[in-house]
Amino acid sequence: MGSNGNIYQDVNESGGDYGVKSANVEGRSCLRLCVSAGGRHGMTSNSAVHELLECPVCLSIMHPPIHQCPNGHTICVVCKSKVQNCCPICRQELGNIRCLALEKVAESIELPCKYHYLGCQDIFPYHSRLRHEENCKFRGYSCPYAGTECLVTGDIPFLVAHLKADHNVDMHDGSTFNHRYVKPNPHEIENATWMLTIFNCYGYQFCLHFEAFHLGMAPVYMAFLRFMGDENDASKFSYSLEVGANGRKLKWQGVPRSIRDSHKTVRDSLDGLIITRNIALFFSGGDRKELKLKVAGRIWREQS
């Protein structure tokens, strides 16, 4: 994306309402109390436990600190600030009253991972659950689109559909490709991101990025590949990128980075093919006043 906010095309040759909610968007899963050595349960009704711990605003399971109004209505700490310290049930001022009894209940139960609807089947005590969810392999991925800041998250099939429908990203089948990146007046570009391209191969999706930025004082172009999946699956693949003309060639070979690593993280680590502007214009030919850079690439699965 250039300084004027535009995204450049490549030429392919290959809400504020914090009232009480009425439905839980994550779905309701069973909760169960930790069983003591004697086998006694503190409660027998899972639905009753759920109703006790459900925040009336976001409908998530509350965990300490849990606040309550003078009339005993409870709310989670995140939503307390959203409702401007006003109880969403009775409109009384919330103040700083803690519901210590309900906090003890919250700490005594086991809860399913909040990513259960994406496939995680694990159940944890309260404190362990929070630690697990930070790195749960089923947690949603962030949208890999780099042209604008996109806050959409989801699983891979959802993101593929989102990229195609909402970002008009080019989708191509195959493990080899040739892309030609074109831009007039390349000397006027300080920072630019070209349109993302997605390749479908080996049953996975790979994101090809190309952009211009400054490395120190030197203007450079960079191409790199990201894998739409986790790090373990990404490590099973390798890729190569090359540019060249007039009997010269530059080539890069590496492992695609998971989209768990942000676009900026990969770019700033310089983990890709880097071409200085002078060399890019040399490969472009002509009078060096227009970028016409052809990037060829290949993706392959490493032998296990």
Side-chain angles (χ1 to χ4, degrees):
M1 180 168 58
S3 58
N4 59 358
N6 292 326
I7 301 170
Y8 302 115
Q9 295 280 359
D10 62 277
V11 180
N12 176 37
E13 299 178 355
S14 62
D17 182 4
Y18 298 113
V20 180
K21 292 188 178 180
S22 60
N24 190 340
V25 296
E26 287 190 353
R28 298 194 175 191
S29 292
C30 67
L31 310 178
R32 57 190 178 92
L33 294 179
C34 295
V35 181
S36 65
R40 296 177 61 187
H41 295 266
M43 289 189 179
T44 59
S45 171
N46 288 334
S47 61
V49 175
H50 190 286
E51 290 175 2
L52 280 174
L53 293 174
E54 186 179 76
C55 173
V57 176
C58 67
L59 302 182
S60 296
I61 300 301
M62 294 184 291
H63 51 76
I66 299 174
H67 292 269
Q68 67 177 9
C69 76
N71 291 325
H73 303 125
T74 54
I75 189 170
C76 76
V77 66
V78 175
C79 292
K80 180 176 181 287
S81 61
K82 293 181 179 179
V83 299
Q84 299 179 336
N85 207 38
C86 177
C87 176
I89 306 297
C90 67
R91 304 303 178 184
Q92 290 285 323
E93 184 178 353
L94 286 168
N96 292 306
I97 306 172
R98 296 271 293 276
C99 185
L100 300 181
L102 198 55
E103 288 183 4
K104 289 186 177 295
V105 172
E107 291 176 341
S108 70
I109 64 174
E110 290 183 333
L111 300 168
C113 171
K114 72 177 181 181
Y115 301 113
H116 63 89
Y117 67 101
L118 292 176
C120 184
Q121 301 298 313
D122 294 332
I123 297 175
F124 300 91
Y126 159 68
H127 291 291
S128 299
R129 175 179 181 256
L130 296 181
R131 290 193 295 269
H132 161 81
E133 288 172 351
E134 292 179 355
N135 296 294
C136 177
K137 67 179 182 180
F138 291 96
R139 71 191 189 277
Y141 294 88
S142 297
C143 174
Y145 191 75
T148 57
E149 183 179 0
C150 181
L151 301 179
V152 169
T153 62
D155 60 13
I156 298 302
F158 172 81
L159 287 183
V160 171
H162 161 70
L163 287 166
K164 186 174 182 180
D166 298 329
H167 294 301
N168 297 315
V169 168
D170 289 334
M171 303 276 181
H172 301 282
D173 295 326
S175 59
T176 60
F177 51 88
N178 286 283
H179 264 47
R180 187 160 53 95
Y181 295 95
V182 178
K183 184 67 181 75
N185 304 317
H187 291 282
E188 297 178 3
I189 299 175
E190 296 298 322
N191 293 282
T193 297
W194 274 255
M195 183 65 75
L196 180 70
T197 305
I198 305 294
F199 296 97
N200 301 297
C201 57
Y202 304 104
Y204 295 94
Q205 289 75 38
F206 299 81
C207 305
L208 177 62
H209 297 266
F210 185 79
E211 60 186 87
F213 59 97
H214 274 80
L215 184 57
M217 298 297 292
V220 299
Y221 297 94
M222 180 175 177
F224 57 92
L225 208 67
R226 287 200 293 164
F227 175 81
M228 295 189 69
D230 64 25
E231 298 87 345
N232 290 333
D233 287 331
S235 66
K236 300 174 184 177
F237 295 91
S238 294
Y239 74 101
S240 63
L241 298 172
E242 64 178 53
V243 294
N246 304 317
R248 280 81 169 175
K249 182 184 294 186
L250 286 176
K251 184 174 181 179
W252 162 268
Q253 181 172 321
V255 176
R257 297 280 286 273
S258 166
I259 59 172
R260 291 284 188 212
D261 292 331
S262 71
H263 162 267
K264 184 178 185 300
T265 296
V266 180
R267 187 197 67 185
D268 291 350
S269 69
L270 306 180
D271 193 2
L273 175 64
I274 299 174
I275 314 124
T276 64
R277 179 188 288 170
N278 285 336
I279 293 178
L281 293 178
F282 172 76
F283 286 154
S284 298
D287 56 7
R288 300 167 63 91
K289 293 182 179 180
E290 183 177 27
L291 178 72
K292 293 181 179 179
L293 190 64
K294 182 177 179 181
V295 178
R298 183 171 72 91
I299 305 165
W300 66 92
R301 188 195 296 269
E302 293 290 354
Q303 297 297 323
S304 57

